[in-house]
């Protein structure tokens, strides 16, 4: 851990503000942020807005209807699990294995064999792979799935969005895929043309249009 | 609202309490487990429901998560906070449940107007509620884990299995979207924009 606070750029400070507000930054990070914020009105203003957001979210959370915990049902499941473990010789054997290192390694070896066997199992109706155009929680409309060159800065990304009049609807996913949309009313063909135009941009590694029609 | 320092002290006290409960759970103490279950139920429910959008499925997933905590309590090594470990289990269980059910609950469409939603008072708090519903699951998650559950960005990366920069980027876009939605709600209707 460094003794002196490192100097952070405005972008880096802005990115960390939510975690300053929720109190989870390290001392060094806090010091570095305050070092910048003391001379940056934009960051202080943003921090104030985020505090208001946090307060509103706390109130929203307090009012949201979460059912009471069904403790008896949970304890019944624990009981069933324990009964199964007690009377099931296989479960007892597995329990023994987890308490012994050498046996644990042997169990891990078996698990690896099972996983390999599962991969070699005949294909079912489930897709064996995820494509970038797989629908996930998107409403009807046309979108463009995009992957940018690694290392693109947030300001360059925002400029890119502004140039093409696009918004980030979702992402980045774990694989770095963004789902982009637009407020403009564009036909499917126009979205396809736009995706083609994005592919010509040096900052873009991948762009593919996605059209979703959800049945009512 | 608590200052960050006081919030940290409370967090540490809470963490100690939970670790003490877990120590007893490891000895097979069901009362300690019941206390831990009640401590986590609300937070886990709110987190998992973002994925499933269905109370019954959410309850089932939450119970599945806590059953894993009971079964695997000895596997927790203390390298992270207990809450980070439990939420990581919840994240994976919730994703699995959604894939298994193949349920795609449609969020409120981007074109929906405040006027379409009945009995909503025109207040900042209600706008926040509606704006959150319009975010994607990834964006809502990062907001929830930061503001509701108080996790650091590193803990969120651990829970969701993503790099730290991905967490920061999702938060960046979530904030932008929330800001633009709140501005949209705040503009008087019929101004032709």
């Amino acid at each position: 851990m460094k003794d002196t606070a490192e100097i952070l750029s405005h972008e880096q400070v802005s990115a960390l503000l939510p975690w300053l507000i929720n109190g989870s930054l390290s001392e060094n990070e806090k010091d570095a942020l305050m070092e910048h914020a003391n001379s940056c009105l934009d960051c202080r203003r943003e921090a104030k807005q985020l505090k208001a957001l946090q307060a509103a979210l706390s109130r929203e959370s307090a009012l949201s209807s979460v059912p009471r915990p069904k403790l008896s049902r949970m304890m019944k499941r624990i009981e069933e699990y324990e009964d199964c473990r007690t009377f099931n010789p296989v479960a007892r054997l597995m329990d023994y294995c987890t308490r012994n290192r050498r046996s644990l390694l042997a169990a891990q070896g078996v698990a690896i064999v099972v996983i390999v066997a599962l991969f070699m199992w005949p294909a079912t109706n489930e897709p064996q792979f995820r494509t970038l155009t797989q629908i996930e929680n998107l409403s009807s409309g046309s979108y463009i799935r995009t992957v940018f060159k690694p290392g693109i800065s947030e300001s360059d990304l925002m400029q890119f969005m502004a140039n093409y009049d696009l918004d980030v609807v979702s992402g980045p996913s774990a694989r770095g895929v963004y789902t982009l949309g637009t407020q403009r009313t564009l036909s499917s063909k126009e979205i396809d043309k736009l995706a083609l135009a994005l592919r010509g941009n040096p900052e873009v590694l991948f762009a593919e249009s996605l059209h979703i029609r959800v049945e009512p | 609202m608590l200052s960050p320092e006081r919030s940290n002290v409370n967090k540490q006290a809470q963490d100690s309490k939970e670790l003490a409960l877990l120590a007893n759970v490891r000895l097979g103490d069901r009362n300690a487990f019941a206390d831990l279950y009640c401590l986590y139920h609300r937070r886990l429910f709110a987190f998992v429901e973002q994925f499933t959008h269905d109370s019954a499925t959410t309850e089932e997933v939450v119970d599945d998560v806590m059953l894993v905590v009971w079964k695997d309590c000895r596997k927790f090594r203390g390298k992270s906070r207990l809450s980070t470990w439990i939420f990581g289990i919840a994240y994976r269980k919730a994703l699995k449940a959604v894939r298994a059910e193949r349920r795609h609950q449609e969020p409120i469409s981007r074109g929906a107007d405040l006027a379409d939603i009945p009995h909503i008072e025109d207040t900042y708090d209600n706008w926040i509620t509606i704006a959150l519903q319009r975010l994607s699951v990834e964006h809502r998650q990062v907001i929830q884990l930061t503001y509701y559950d108080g996790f650091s960005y590193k803990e969120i990366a651990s829970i969701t299995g993503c790099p730290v920069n991905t967490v920061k980027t999702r938060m960046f876009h979530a904030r932008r979207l929330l800001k633009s939605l709140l501005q949209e709600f705040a503009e008087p209707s019929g101004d032709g924009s």
Side-chain angles (χ1 to χ4, degrees):
Chain A
M1 209 116 92
K2 292 182 188 171
D3 287 326
T4 54
E6 54 183 290
I7 296 169
L8 297 177
S9 69
H10 174 76
E11 259 190 14
Q12 286 172 313
V13 168
S14 179
L16 290 177
L17 282 175
W19 292 287
L20 174 72
I21 301 303
N22 85 351
S24 63
L25 290 181
S26 67
E27 287 304 317
N28 273 353
E29 285 171 326
K30 251 189 285 183
D31 290 343
L33 241 79
M34 297 316 294
E35 179 81 27
H36 171 88
N38 284 339
S39 55
C40 180
L41 182 59
D42 282 346
C43 280
R44 289 203 300 277
R45 209 175 272 153
E46 183 74 21
K48 200 173 166 186
Q49 287 173 357
L50 289 175
K51 274 188 192 169
L53 175 65
Q54 165 126 7
L57 289 172
S58 301
R59 290 191 293 272
E60 198 248 5
S61 166
L63 292 170
S64 68
S65 55
V66 171
R68 293 166 66 98
K70 293 184 174 73
L71 188 57
S72 55
R73 186 184 64 194
M74 182 74 242
M75 299 316 290
K76 195 174 170 204
R77 280 190 75 175
I78 299 291
E79 219 173 282
E80 283 167 3
Y81 166 74
E82 289 296 330
D83 286 345
C84 183
R85 217 162 57 92
T86 307
F87 296 112
N88 185 338
V90 174
R92 287 173 73 185
L93 177 64
M94 290 307 298
D95 195 36
Y96 172 79
C97 287
T98 58
R99 295 172 202 269
N100 287 272
R101 221 173 268 178
R102 271 184 283 174
S103 300
L104 179 62
L105 282 173
Q108 282 178 344
V110 168
I112 288 166
V113 168
V114 167
I115 286 164
V116 168
L118 280 174
F119 273 114
M120 293 171 67
W121 199 262
T124 62
N125 286 336
E126 289 216 18
Q128 296 295 315
F129 51 85
R130 281 173 69 78
T131 68
L132 287 174
T133 54
Q134 195 143 334
I135 296 169
E136 305 171 323
N137 271 5
L138 295 172
S139 52
S140 286
S142 292
Y143 306 90
I144 302 174
R145 295 279 178 138
T146 311
V147 178
F148 294 97
K149 270 194 175 163
I152 183 171
S153 70
E154 274 161 6
S155 53
D156 285 344
L157 188 60
M158 287 306 104
Q159 187 58 51
F160 180 94
M161 296 297 162
N163 290 345
Y164 289 96
D165 198 8
L166 290 168
D167 303 310
V168 173
V169 172
S170 175
S173 70
R175 290 179 177 80
V177 181
Y178 286 83
T179 303
L180 309 180
T182 178
Q183 301 281 358
R184 294 176 282 160
T185 309
L186 298 180
S187 65
S188 302
K189 276 192 181 163
E190 284 167 326
I191 289 285
D192 291 342
K193 273 189 189 166
L194 187 50
L196 190 60
L198 293 191
R199 279 180 223 144
N201 188 300
E203 297 293 342
V204 173
L205 289 179
F206 173 91
E208 185 178 336
S209 56
L210 168 65
H211 307 289
I212 297 175
R213 298 286 175 262
V214 177
E215 297 298 324
Chain B
M1 200 171 68
L2 290 180
S3 69
E5 292 76 18
R6 192 151 163 228
S7 161
N8 270 337
V9 168
N10 281 358
K11 222 183 257 183
Q12 281 165 13
Q14 181 69 15
D15 285 350
S16 299
K17 180 179 171 184
E18 291 175 8
L19 286 173
L21 285 174
L22 188 76
N24 286 333
V25 169
R26 282 178 172 151
L27 298 171
D29 183 346
R30 295 188 191 195
N31 288 332
F33 176 79
D35 287 347
L36 199 61
Y37 176 81
C38 291
L39 268 179
Y40 269 89
H41 181 268
R42 186 186 175 86
R43 290 168 65 189
L44 286 178
F45 191 97
F47 178 65
V48 171
E49 204 184 23
Q50 288 174 61
F51 293 83
T52 65
H53 300 284
D54 174 70
S55 291
T57 309
T58 304
E59 288 278 18
E60 228 176 277
V61 171
V62 169
D63 284 1
D64 287 347
V65 171
M66 293 309 293
L67 185 61
V68 171
V69 170
W70 172 263
K71 280 158 60 177
D72 295 346
C73 52
R74 282 178 202 87
K75 290 186 182 173
F76 176 70
R77 300 275 182 235
K79 287 181 186 171
S80 68
R81 289 168 64 203
L82 180 59
S83 53
T84 308
W85 181 64
I86 293 178
F87 269 76
I89 298 169
Y91 179 79
R92 290 186 292 277
K93 285 280 179 193
L95 278 183
K96 206 171 158 185
V98 167
R99 282 178 197 142
E101 292 205 5
R102 292 189 191 168
R103 198 171 290 187
H104 298 290
Q105 192 82 7
E106 196 164 322
I108 294 174
S109 105
R110 298 180 83 206
D113 208 346
L114 268 180
D116 296 339
I117 302 153
H119 312 305
I120 293 290
E121 232 180 288
D122 211 13
T123 65
Y124 181 73
D125 284 9
N126 287 328
W127 293 342
I128 290 274
T129 304
I130 296 163
L132 282 174
Q133 289 169 6
R134 290 207 195 174
L135 298 183
S136 69
V137 173
E138 293 146 340
H139 293 156
R140 273 205 306 277
Q141 261 170 33
V142 74
I143 294 281
Q144 162 118 14
L145 290 170
T146 303
Y147 289 109
Y148 290 139
D149 298 305
F151 287 111
S152 69
Y153 60 87
K154 289 177 189 170
E155 286 169 334
I156 294 170
S158 172
I159 287 166
T160 57
C162 286
V164 157
N165 280 338
T166 301
V167 173
K168 289 181 187 175
T169 307
R170 286 179 184 173
M171 175 60 88
F172 174 80
H173 291 297
R175 281 163 62 187
R176 273 191 82 246
L177 280 166
L178 274 179
K179 209 181 226 180
S180 85
L181 286 167
L182 291 172
Q183 274 168 5
E184 191 185 309
F185 295 155
E187 277 164 14
S189 56
D191 64 352
S193 62

